[in-house]
Amino acid sequence: QWMEGEILQQQAAYWKTTLAGAPALLELPTDHARPVEQSYAGAALPVVLEEKLTSGLKGLSRRNGTTLYMTLLAGWAILLMRLSGQHDVVIGSPVANRGRAEIENLIGFFVNTLALRLDLSGSPSVSELLEQTKAQSLAAQRHQDIPFEQVVDLLQPVRSLAHSPLFQVMFAWQNATEARLELPGLEVQPLPSPSHRVAKFDLTLSLQEVGERIVGELGYATALYERSTLERYREYFLRLVEAMVADDTQVVDHLRLLTETERHQVLYEWNDTEREYPRDKCVHELFEEQVRRSPEATAVVFEEEELSYGELNARANRLAHYLRELGVQPDERVAICVERGFEMIVGLLAILKAGGGYVPLNPAYPEERLQYMLEDSAPVVLLTQRHLEDRFSGIGDGVPVLDLNATAAWQSFSESNPDADAVGLISSHLAYVIYTSGSTGQPKGVMVEHRGLCNISLTQSRELKVEPSSRILQFASFSFDACVWETLMALCQGAALYLLPQKCLVAGDDLIETAARSGITHATLPPTVLAGVSERANVDSLRVLVVGGEALPGWLAERWGRERQLINAYGPTETTIVVTMHRCVAEESGNPPIGRPIANTRVYILDSNREPVPVGVVGEMYVGGAGVARGYLNRPELTAEKFLKN
């Protein structure tokens, strides 16, 4: 009767206000994908806080006016925040619900569950979080009489069979001493814990004070976690509460989780990627080495026509000498807008040989984007084809336009390789400027240097087993850095580059069948293209398949990795094409990872304070080493922010 009317409304209003807008799910990192329905199978690890730490926690609690329960709850919340990256944390906590003396000794199940919401945003100190935890705990206990199931009904959260509503993590504190039951004529002992454990929640930390120590267990759902992961989480919790005791003025975001061993592993051992590579060469010089080695070998194939390495080099050299006559110098940009064909590769090589950095323009781009890219890159020359010149009428005024098909203008120039020393061209000069998509704002031109491309060539040689007999598919648009990846893979290793006509690039079986007829051995394709190919389609000649540009689903990796080497590659435009690679294997479950850093590249996963996160924890990727581009063209303020020098 007491719970009816005004009291019920008061308690209901508190929970509706307190939990309004709370996250439906605490996204903790797990070892396995969350099943569509909870299995409730569980296991547990013992947790022991030794006498010194227990004593320190009592002192910390006294200084801040909190109970051990509140202090340990705050430590648990810090760990959950640091693991999930979420600053709004809801934790379930059981209460005895015997708030009146009259019911203290009654036999029966009075226990209720409270959903405690803690806000860890704004980088609070340990003391500030303890103050908030105390206020939230006391307020929740004042409103503990309404049953938890009614709270759920009031809030109407989105329900799921995969997890419990409102919270998925529990903290239980047993502050009552275990009673010794004595009955006349009977010997009574506790029933041993069953071997089969149940996990009602993802994680449950249960603690109590026993003698001079705090002991308990960390329970977990075995459908989500491996024991080794929970052993690490247990150590993180102990390290956090030790740091809380040591200095309660510290900001909770800065409390260190990792041991020195773990820190050394993620920062140094996993980034031990140093390899020798031609760091003092320009990337076109690697192509010229292949020309000297096998000038008669096929370099490029397009629509049943071929160019040998010698012929391709001669054409590119003549154009390069002409570009130098037009004033092209190192770090100056040369825009190039061509359709698929030999001119695309000749123009690319010629710009590099002349010392300039090329700016690829897609003929299919809207006029507004082309105009923006021309104005922003300020090229000294625009290379295009006569039938595309109308795309640039009225834009890019003042920029000389050179028709790549009108070869008479440079036919008389020398076929010899241009002298890099004559213009002071070195490996730190610009190789290309490729513009981002603009999906996060105004497109930005990313400047990539020669030495980064030479490092990529080394990686391709070592990891992809490219040989002079290899046939490389050129699929990507000229305006994407994946096109550079494909071109280097062939021309810097002495292999043949196959330019498929535009009509053959439609995703599906036709693409694969065309590749099969050409005997393609190496291809780089996005997952969406592979997903559009039926299972019956196959390319017997395809030995190496590199996938990038999008997340690779596990089922697609399993299908395409059966009969060939499958590489999952990743790299943002702000780097030199690819920074991590992973060789997929049949035994993997789930989606393949993006892999480890390639040679001479370092990758770090850091939190918002630029501290390394534990294994499996979400963070931001930072890239260092040879894979980092120079920066954004004409955007020094963005370059300083995004391109961290280390």
Short mmCIF file of all heavy atoms in Angstrom, two decimals, residues 402-458:
data_model
loop_
_atom_site.label_atom_id
_atom_site.label_comp_id
_atom_site.label_asym_id
_atom_site.label_seq_id
_atom_site.Cartn_x
_atom_site.Cartn_y
_atom_site.Cartn_z
N LEU A 402 48.10 20.39 -72.92
CA LEU A 402 48.87 19.59 -73.86
C LEU A 402 48.09 18.34 -74.23
O LEU A 402 47.67 17.57 -73.36
CB LEU A 402 50.22 19.21 -73.24
CG LEU A 402 51.18 18.38 -74.10
CD1 LEU A 402 51.56 19.15 -75.35
CD2 LEU A 402 52.43 18.03 -73.29
N ASP A 403 47.87 18.14 -75.54
CA ASP A 403 47.16 16.97 -76.04
C ASP A 403 48.14 15.79 -76.12
O ASP A 403 49.09 15.81 -76.89
CB ASP A 403 46.57 17.27 -77.41
CG ASP A 403 45.83 16.07 -78.00
OD1 ASP A 403 45.62 15.06 -77.27
OD2 ASP A 403 45.46 16.13 -79.19
N LEU A 404 47.88 14.76 -75.29
CA LEU A 404 48.77 13.61 -75.25
C LEU A 404 48.77 12.82 -76.55
O LEU A 404 49.73 12.08 -76.83
CB LEU A 404 48.40 12.70 -74.08
CG LEU A 404 48.96 13.11 -72.71
CD1 LEU A 404 48.35 12.26 -71.61
CD2 LEU A 404 50.47 12.97 -72.70
N ASN A 405 47.71 12.93 -77.33
CA ASN A 405 47.65 12.19 -78.59
C ASN A 405 48.42 12.90 -79.70
O ASN A 405 48.74 12.29 -80.73
CB ASN A 405 46.20 11.99 -79.01
CG ASN A 405 45.43 11.10 -78.03
OD1 ASN A 405 44.45 11.52 -77.43
ND2 ASN A 405 45.91 9.86 -77.85
N ALA A 406 48.70 14.18 -79.50
CA ALA A 406 49.45 14.94 -80.51
C ALA A 406 50.94 14.78 -80.23
O ALA A 406 51.60 15.67 -79.67
CB ALA A 406 49.04 16.41 -80.48
N THR A 407 51.47 13.65 -80.59
CA THR A 407 52.84 13.29 -80.21
C THR A 407 53.90 14.04 -81.00
O THR A 407 55.08 14.02 -80.63
CB THR A 407 53.05 11.78 -80.39
OG1 THR A 407 52.78 11.43 -81.76
CG2 THR A 407 52.13 11.00 -79.46
N ALA A 408 53.52 14.71 -82.08
CA ALA A 408 54.52 15.37 -82.92
C ALA A 408 55.32 16.42 -82.15
O ALA A 408 56.49 16.67 -82.45
CB ALA A 408 53.84 16.03 -84.13
N ALA A 409 54.69 17.02 -81.14
CA ALA A 409 55.34 18.11 -80.39
C ALA A 409 56.59 17.63 -79.67
O ALA A 409 57.51 18.42 -79.44
CB ALA A 409 54.36 18.73 -79.41
N TRP A 410 56.65 16.37 -79.29
CA TRP A 410 57.83 15.90 -78.53
C TRP A 410 58.53 14.71 -79.17
O TRP A 410 59.44 14.11 -78.58
CB TRP A 410 57.45 15.56 -77.09
CG TRP A 410 56.43 14.45 -76.92
CD1 TRP A 410 56.67 13.12 -76.88
CD2 TRP A 410 55.04 14.61 -76.75
NE1 TRP A 410 55.52 12.42 -76.70
CE2 TRP A 410 54.48 13.32 -76.61
CE3 TRP A 410 54.18 15.72 -76.72
CZ2 TRP A 410 53.11 13.11 -76.44
CZ3 TRP A 410 52.82 15.50 -76.54
CH2 TRP A 410 52.30 14.20 -76.41
N GLN A 411 58.14 14.37 -80.40
CA GLN A 411 58.77 13.22 -81.07
C GLN A 411 60.26 13.42 -81.28
O GLN A 411 61.04 12.45 -81.31
CB GLN A 411 58.09 12.95 -82.40
CG GLN A 411 56.75 12.23 -82.29
CD GLN A 411 56.89 10.85 -81.67
OE1 GLN A 411 57.88 10.16 -81.87
NE2 GLN A 411 55.90 10.45 -80.88
N SER A 412 60.69 14.67 -81.42
CA SER A 412 62.10 14.93 -81.72
C SER A 412 62.98 14.92 -80.47
O SER A 412 64.21 15.00 -80.59
CB SER A 412 62.24 16.29 -82.42
OG SER A 412 61.74 17.32 -81.57
N PHE A 413 62.38 14.83 -79.29
CA PHE A 413 63.18 14.86 -78.07
C PHE A 413 63.87 13.52 -77.84
O PHE A 413 63.48 12.48 -78.37
CB PHE A 413 62.30 15.22 -76.87
CG PHE A 413 61.98 16.69 -76.79
CD1 PHE A 413 60.86 17.21 -77.43
CD2 PHE A 413 62.80 17.55 -76.08
CE1 PHE A 413 60.56 18.55 -77.36
CE2 PHE A 413 62.50 18.90 -76.01
CZ PHE A 413 61.38 19.41 -76.65
N SER A 414 64.86 13.53 -76.99
CA SER A 414 65.69 12.35 -76.74
C SER A 414 64.91 11.23 -76.05
O SER A 414 64.01 11.48 -75.24
CB SER A 414 66.88 12.75 -75.87
OG SER A 414 67.59 11.61 -75.44
N GLU A 415 65.29 9.99 -76.41
CA GLU A 415 64.70 8.82 -75.76
C GLU A 415 65.47 8.43 -74.49
O GLU A 415 65.09 7.48 -73.80
CB GLU A 415 64.68 7.64 -76.72
CG GLU A 415 63.76 7.82 -77.91
CD GLU A 415 63.70 6.57 -78.78
OE1 GLU A 415 64.42 5.59 -78.46
OE2 GLU A 415 62.95 6.58 -79.78
N SER A 416 66.52 9.14 -74.19
CA SER A 416 67.33 8.79 -73.01
C SER A 416 66.63 9.23 -71.72
O SER A 416 65.81 10.15 -71.72
CB SER A 416 68.69 9.48 -73.10
OG SER A 416 68.54 10.89 -73.06
N ASN A 417 66.98 8.55 -70.64
CA ASN A 417 66.39 8.90 -69.35
C ASN A 417 66.81 10.30 -68.93
O ASN A 417 68.01 10.61 -68.95
CB ASN A 417 66.84 7.90 -68.27
CG ASN A 417 66.29 6.51 -68.50
OD1 ASN A 417 65.20 6.34 -69.02
ND2 ASN A 417 67.06 5.51 -68.11
N PRO A 418 65.87 11.16 -68.55
CA PRO A 418 66.24 12.50 -68.08
C PRO A 418 67.13 12.41 -66.85
O PRO A 418 66.98 11.51 -66.01
CB PRO A 418 64.89 13.14 -67.73
CG PRO A 418 63.89 12.38 -68.55
CD PRO A 418 64.41 10.98 -68.62
N ASP A 419 68.07 13.33 -66.74
CA ASP A 419 69.02 13.35 -65.63
C ASP A 419 68.35 13.99 -64.41
O ASP A 419 68.02 15.18 -64.43
CB ASP A 419 70.26 14.14 -66.04
CG ASP A 419 71.32 14.17 -64.93
OD1 ASP A 419 71.14 13.46 -63.92
OD2 ASP A 419 72.30 14.92 -65.08
N ALA A 420 68.16 13.20 -63.35
CA ALA A 420 67.53 13.72 -62.14
C ALA A 420 68.38 14.81 -61.50
O ALA A 420 67.86 15.80 -60.96
CB ALA A 420 67.28 12.58 -61.15
N ASP A 421 69.71 14.64 -61.55
CA ASP A 421 70.59 15.61 -60.91
C ASP A 421 70.51 16.98 -61.57
O ASP A 421 70.78 18.01 -60.94
CB ASP A 421 72.04 15.11 -60.96
CG ASP A 421 72.25 13.87 -60.10
OD1 ASP A 421 71.45 13.67 -59.16
OD2 ASP A 421 73.19 13.10 -60.38
N ALA A 422 70.14 16.99 -62.84
CA ALA A 422 70.11 18.26 -63.57
C ALA A 422 69.09 19.23 -62.98
O ALA A 422 69.26 20.45 -63.07
CB ALA A 422 69.80 18.00 -65.04
N VAL A 423 68.04 18.70 -62.38
CA VAL A 423 67.02 19.57 -61.77
C VAL A 423 66.99 19.40 -60.25
O VAL A 423 66.10 19.92 -59.58
CB VAL A 423 65.62 19.27 -62.36
CG1 VAL A 423 65.55 19.71 -63.81
CG2 VAL A 423 65.26 17.79 -62.23
N GLY A 424 67.96 18.65 -59.72
CA GLY A 424 68.02 18.48 -58.27
C GLY A 424 66.92 17.59 -57.72
O GLY A 424 66.51 17.74 -56.55
N LEU A 425 66.45 16.64 -58.55
CA LEU A 425 65.35 15.76 -58.12
C LEU A 425 65.87 14.69 -57.16
O LEU A 425 66.80 13.95 -57.49
CB LEU A 425 64.70 15.11 -59.34
CG LEU A 425 63.54 14.16 -59.07
CD1 LEU A 425 62.37 14.89 -58.43
CD2 LEU A 425 63.10 13.48 -60.38
N ILE A 426 65.26 14.61 -55.98
CA ILE A 426 65.64 13.60 -54.98
C ILE A 426 64.38 12.91 -54.46
O ILE A 426 63.25 13.31 -54.77
CB ILE A 426 66.43 14.22 -53.80
CG1 ILE A 426 65.62 15.34 -53.15
CG2 ILE A 426 67.78 14.72 -54.27
CD1 ILE A 426 66.31 15.96 -51.93
N SER A 427 64.57 11.89 -53.62
CA SER A 427 63.46 11.03 -53.20
C SER A 427 62.45 11.73 -52.29
O SER A 427 61.34 11.23 -52.11
CB SER A 427 63.99 9.78 -52.50
OG SER A 427 64.70 10.12 -51.32
N SER A 428 62.83 12.86 -51.71
CA SER A 428 61.89 13.58 -50.85
C SER A 428 61.00 14.54 -51.62
O SER A 428 60.17 15.25 -51.03
CB SER A 428 62.65 14.35 -49.76
OG SER A 428 63.53 15.30 -50.33
N HIS A 429 61.17 14.59 -52.93
CA HIS A 429 60.31 15.45 -53.74
C HIS A 429 58.96 14.79 -54.01
O HIS A 429 58.79 13.59 -53.84
CB HIS A 429 61.01 15.80 -55.06
CG HIS A 429 61.97 16.94 -54.93
ND1 HIS A 429 63.28 16.87 -55.37
CD2 HIS A 429 61.84 18.18 -54.40
CE1 HIS A 429 63.90 18.02 -55.12
NE2 HIS A 429 63.03 18.83 -54.53
N LEU A 430 58.05 15.60 -54.48
CA LEU A 430 56.66 15.18 -54.70
C LEU A 430 56.55 14.20 -55.86
O LEU A 430 57.12 14.41 -56.93
CB LEU A 430 55.82 16.42 -54.97
CG LEU A 430 54.30 16.27 -55.03
CD1 LEU A 430 53.76 15.87 -53.66
CD2 LEU A 430 53.68 17.60 -55.48
N ALA A 431 55.76 13.12 -55.65
CA ALA A 431 55.47 12.17 -56.72
C ALA A 431 54.06 12.38 -57.25
O ALA A 431 53.84 12.36 -58.46
CB ALA A 431 55.64 10.73 -56.23
N TYR A 432 53.09 12.56 -56.36
CA TYR A 432 51.72 12.81 -56.82
C TYR A 432 50.93 13.55 -55.75
O TYR A 432 51.30 13.59 -54.58
CB TYR A 432 51.01 11.53 -57.24
CG TYR A 432 50.72 10.52 -56.14
CD1 TYR A 432 49.72 10.75 -55.19
CD2 TYR A 432 51.41 9.31 -56.07
CE1 TYR A 432 49.42 9.81 -54.20
CE2 TYR A 432 51.13 8.37 -55.09
CZ TYR A 432 50.13 8.63 -54.16
OH TYR A 432 49.85 7.70 -53.18
N VAL A 433 49.82 14.13 -56.19
CA VAL A 433 48.82 14.74 -55.31
C VAL A 433 47.48 14.11 -55.66
O VAL A 433 47.00 14.25 -56.79
CB VAL A 433 48.74 16.27 -55.47
CG1 VAL A 433 47.61 16.84 -54.60
CG2 VAL A 433 50.05 16.92 -55.12
N ILE A 434 46.91 13.36 -54.72
CA ILE A 434 45.60 12.75 -54.94
C ILE A 434 44.62 13.35 -53.94
O ILE A 434 44.92 13.46 -52.75
CB ILE A 434 45.67 11.22 -54.81
CG1 ILE A 434 46.31 10.63 -56.07
CG2 ILE A 434 44.29 10.61 -54.58
CD1 ILE A 434 46.34 9.13 -56.13
N TYR A 435 43.45 13.72 -54.43
CA TYR A 435 42.46 14.40 -53.61
C TYR A 435 41.55 13.41 -52.89
O TYR A 435 41.15 12.38 -53.46
CB TYR A 435 41.63 15.37 -54.45
CG TYR A 435 42.35 16.68 -54.69
CD1 TYR A 435 43.37 16.76 -55.64
CD2 TYR A 435 42.06 17.80 -53.94
CE1 TYR A 435 44.06 17.93 -55.85
CE2 TYR A 435 42.75 18.99 -54.13
CZ TYR A 435 43.75 19.05 -55.08
OH TYR A 435 44.44 20.23 -55.27
N THR A 436 41.26 13.73 -51.63
CA THR A 436 40.31 12.91 -50.87
C THR A 436 38.92 13.08 -51.46
O THR A 436 38.66 14.00 -52.24
CB THR A 436 40.31 13.34 -49.39
OG1 THR A 436 39.90 14.71 -49.29
CG2 THR A 436 41.69 13.19 -48.78
N SER A 437 38.03 12.21 -51.05
CA SER A 437 36.69 12.21 -51.64
C SER A 437 35.88 13.43 -51.25
O SER A 437 34.94 13.81 -51.93
CB SER A 437 35.94 10.95 -51.21
OG SER A 437 35.73 10.96 -49.80
N GLY A 438 36.22 14.04 -50.10
CA GLY A 438 35.43 15.17 -49.63
C GLY A 438 34.22 14.77 -48.82
O GLY A 438 33.37 15.60 -48.50
N SER A 439 34.16 13.47 -48.45
CA SER A 439 33.01 12.99 -47.68
C SER A 439 32.95 13.62 -46.29
O SER A 439 31.90 13.64 -45.66
CB SER A 439 33.05 11.46 -47.56
OG SER A 439 34.26 11.04 -46.95
N THR A 440 34.08 14.10 -45.78
CA THR A 440 34.11 14.73 -44.46
C THR A 440 34.37 16.23 -44.57
O THR A 440 34.83 16.86 -43.62
CB THR A 440 35.20 14.09 -43.57
OG1 THR A 440 36.47 14.22 -44.23
CG2 THR A 440 34.91 12.63 -43.32
N GLY A 441 34.07 16.81 -45.72
CA GLY A 441 34.29 18.24 -45.92
C GLY A 441 34.88 18.49 -47.29
O GLY A 441 34.74 17.69 -48.21
N GLN A 442 35.54 19.64 -47.43
CA GLN A 442 36.15 20.00 -48.71
C GLN A 442 37.25 19.01 -49.08
O GLN A 442 38.07 18.64 -48.24
CB GLN A 442 36.77 21.40 -48.57
CG GLN A 442 37.30 21.98 -49.85
CD GLN A 442 36.23 22.60 -50.72
OE1 GLN A 442 35.26 21.94 -51.06
NE2 GLN A 442 36.40 23.86 -51.07
N PRO A 443 37.28 18.53 -50.34
CA PRO A 443 38.36 17.62 -50.74
C PRO A 443 39.72 18.25 -50.51
O PRO A 443 39.90 19.46 -50.70
CB PRO A 443 38.08 17.40 -52.23
CG PRO A 443 36.62 17.69 -52.41
CD PRO A 443 36.31 18.77 -51.42
N LYS A 444 40.67 17.43 -50.09
CA LYS A 444 42.02 17.93 -49.80
C LYS A 444 43.03 17.14 -50.61
O LYS A 444 42.93 15.92 -50.73
CB LYS A 444 42.31 17.79 -48.29
CG LYS A 444 41.38 18.61 -47.41
CD LYS A 444 41.63 18.38 -45.94
CE LYS A 444 41.12 17.02 -45.47
NZ LYS A 444 39.67 16.92 -45.50
N GLY A 445 44.01 17.84 -51.14
CA GLY A 445 45.06 17.19 -51.92
C GLY A 445 46.15 16.65 -51.01
O GLY A 445 46.78 17.41 -50.27
N VAL A 446 46.38 15.34 -51.06
CA VAL A 446 47.39 14.69 -50.23
C VAL A 446 48.67 14.55 -51.05
O VAL A 446 48.65 14.03 -52.17
CB VAL A 446 46.91 13.31 -49.75
CG1 VAL A 446 48.02 12.62 -48.95
CG2 VAL A 446 45.66 13.46 -48.90
N MET A 447 49.78 15.04 -50.48
CA MET A 447 51.06 15.05 -51.19
C MET A 447 51.89 13.83 -50.77
O MET A 447 52.22 13.66 -49.59
CB MET A 447 51.83 16.33 -50.86
CG MET A 447 51.10 17.59 -51.28
SD MET A 447 52.06 19.11 -50.93
CE MET A 447 51.93 19.17 -49.14
N VAL A 448 52.23 12.99 -51.74
CA VAL A 448 53.01 11.77 -51.49
C VAL A 448 54.35 11.88 -52.20
O VAL A 448 54.43 12.31 -53.36
CB VAL A 448 52.24 10.52 -51.96
CG1 VAL A 448 53.11 9.28 -51.89
CG2 VAL A 448 50.98 10.34 -51.12
N GLU A 449 55.40 11.48 -51.50
CA GLU A 449 56.77 11.62 -52.01
C GLU A 449 57.28 10.31 -52.61
O GLU A 449 56.73 9.23 -52.36
CB GLU A 449 57.69 12.08 -50.89
CG GLU A 449 57.29 13.44 -50.31
CD GLU A 449 58.08 13.80 -49.07
OE1 GLU A 449 58.73 12.90 -48.49
OE2 GLU A 449 58.04 14.99 -48.67
N HIS A 450 58.38 10.42 -53.35
CA HIS A 450 58.97 9.27 -54.04
C HIS A 450 59.39 8.17 -53.08
O HIS A 450 59.17 6.98 -53.34
CB HIS A 450 60.18 9.72 -54.86
CG HIS A 450 59.83 10.37 -56.16
ND1 HIS A 450 59.71 9.67 -57.34
CD2 HIS A 450 59.53 11.66 -56.45
CE1 HIS A 450 59.39 10.50 -58.32
NE2 HIS A 450 59.28 11.72 -57.81
N ARG A 451 60.02 8.52 -51.96
CA ARG A 451 60.58 7.48 -51.10
C ARG A 451 59.50 6.60 -50.50
O ARG A 451 59.72 5.40 -50.28
CB ARG A 451 61.44 8.10 -50.01
CG ARG A 451 60.75 9.11 -49.12
CD ARG A 451 61.76 9.75 -48.19
NE ARG A 451 61.22 10.91 -47.49
CZ ARG A 451 61.97 11.79 -46.83
NH1 ARG A 451 63.29 11.62 -46.80
NH2 ARG A 451 61.43 12.82 -46.23
N GLY A 452 58.32 7.16 -50.23
CA GLY A 452 57.22 6.33 -49.75
C GLY A 452 56.80 5.30 -50.78
O GLY A 452 56.48 4.16 -50.45
N LEU A 453 56.81 5.70 -52.06
CA LEU A 453 56.45 4.77 -53.13
C LEU A 453 57.52 3.69 -53.31
O LEU A 453 57.20 2.54 -53.62
CB LEU A 453 56.24 5.54 -54.43
CG LEU A 453 55.04 6.50 -54.44
CD1 LEU A 453 55.00 7.30 -55.73
CD2 LEU A 453 53.74 5.74 -54.25
N CYS A 454 58.79 4.06 -53.12
CA CYS A 454 59.84 3.05 -53.20
C CYS A 454 59.68 2.01 -52.09
O CYS A 454 59.95 0.82 -52.29
CB CYS A 454 61.21 3.72 -53.11
SG CYS A 454 61.67 4.66 -54.58
N ASN A 455 59.24 2.46 -50.93
CA ASN A 455 59.02 1.51 -49.83
C ASN A 455 57.85 0.58 -50.14
O ASN A 455 57.89 -0.61 -49.85
CB ASN A 455 58.75 2.27 -48.54
CG ASN A 455 58.60 1.34 -47.35
OD1 ASN A 455 59.51 0.60 -47.01
ND2 ASN A 455 57.43 1.35 -46.73
N ILE A 456 56.81 1.12 -50.76
CA ILE A 456 55.67 0.29 -51.17
C ILE A 456 56.12 -0.76 -52.18
O ILE A 456 55.71 -1.93 -52.12
CB ILE A 456 54.55 1.17 -51.77
CG1 ILE A 456 53.76 1.84 -50.66
CG2 ILE A 456 53.61 0.35 -52.65
CD1 ILE A 456 52.90 0.91 -49.83
N SER A 457 56.97 -0.37 -53.10
CA SER A 457 57.46 -1.31 -54.10
C SER A 457 58.21 -2.46 -53.43
O SER A 457 58.07 -3.62 -53.82
CB SER A 457 58.36 -0.59 -55.10
OG SER A 457 58.89 -1.50 -56.04
N LEU A 458 59.00 -2.14 -52.41
CA LEU A 458 59.71 -3.18 -51.67
C LEU A 458 58.71 -4.14 -51.02
O LEU A 458 58.88 -5.36 -51.07
CB LEU A 458 60.60 -2.55 -50.59
CG LEU A 458 61.15 -3.52 -49.54
CD1 LEU A 458 62.30 -4.31 -50.10
CD2 LEU A 458 61.57 -2.78 -48.28
#
